[in-house]
Amino acid sequence: MKYNIAFIDDEDKNIRKFKIIAEDDSDFNIVDIPFDEDINNFITNLASANLHAILIDFKLNRAKVRYTGSDLIDILDKMLPGFPTFLLTSYESDGEDNVYDVNKVYRKDDYFEGGDKAESFHKKIKKQIEHYLSLVKDNENELKALVQKAQRGGLNLEEEERLVELDDFIEKSSLSNYKTPRDLKKVTNQDRLQELIAKANDIIQRIEEE
């Protein structure tokens, strides 16, 4: 299985350097994501690109860009909990000061040297991807089990809320094809119906058979 990864940088020369090194690893498929100066458009494009990992340069130099690579990672981490994101920077202290997880920060110059340093970073990327794929699979299996239990006779309040939570996670993850049956978008407990419908309102319309 090839892993789809993207490197976000506003300088074409850095993207070319990245591709030369990353394409030497047969496990990677490099996906081109057009740079967008509007952070909302950019986030939407990234989240819908069927990627397994995203690497982002810390300092974006275009005059009209009002955000940093750290800003992108912060938003992506909130949208896609656990998804592999990495911040590449010329100065590690910049990244560490702006990203809550210092394990996401890597020196860009070290990577661009290639060789053992790049290979070591590739292993780190793959490990994070594998961890995330495992998380997606575990959540998918838990969601399927709740769906089956609901179809047999119903869920309690805690289970209903967990079903909505898991469904939200799976829906946001472009790495899962599982869809919750439409009828289970409606909870069975009337006391919690309105609250849970409010939480699930934005996902009710997109259900299809597994």
Side-chain angles (χ1 to χ4, degrees), residues 171-209:
E171 183 205 13
K172 289 177 179 177
S173 170
S174 59
L175 304 180
S176 174
N177 293 320
Y178 183 77
K179 305 297 181 185
T180 305
R182 179 182 295 274
D183 59 323
L184 291 181
K185 288 296 181 177
K186 300 178 180 178
V187 298
T188 57
N189 189 290
Q190 294 301 313
D191 293 335
R192 297 288 281 171
L193 182 60
Q194 294 305 317
E195 180 181 347
L196 290 176
I197 285 180
K199 291 179 181 178
N201 187 55
D202 61 338
I203 55 177
I204 290 177
Q205 300 301 318
R206 61 107 184 115
I207 309 304
E208 64 184 21
E209 294 296 332

Side-chain angles (χ1 to χ4, degrees), residues 83-105:
F83 184 84
T85 55
F86 300 90
L87 188 70
L88 273 66
T89 178
S90 297
Y91 304 98
E92 281 185 308
S93 59
D94 287 340
E96 291 171 355
D97 290 341
N98 288 274
V99 176
Y100 68 89
D101 185 353
V102 296
N103 294 316
K104 292 177 175 288
V105 181

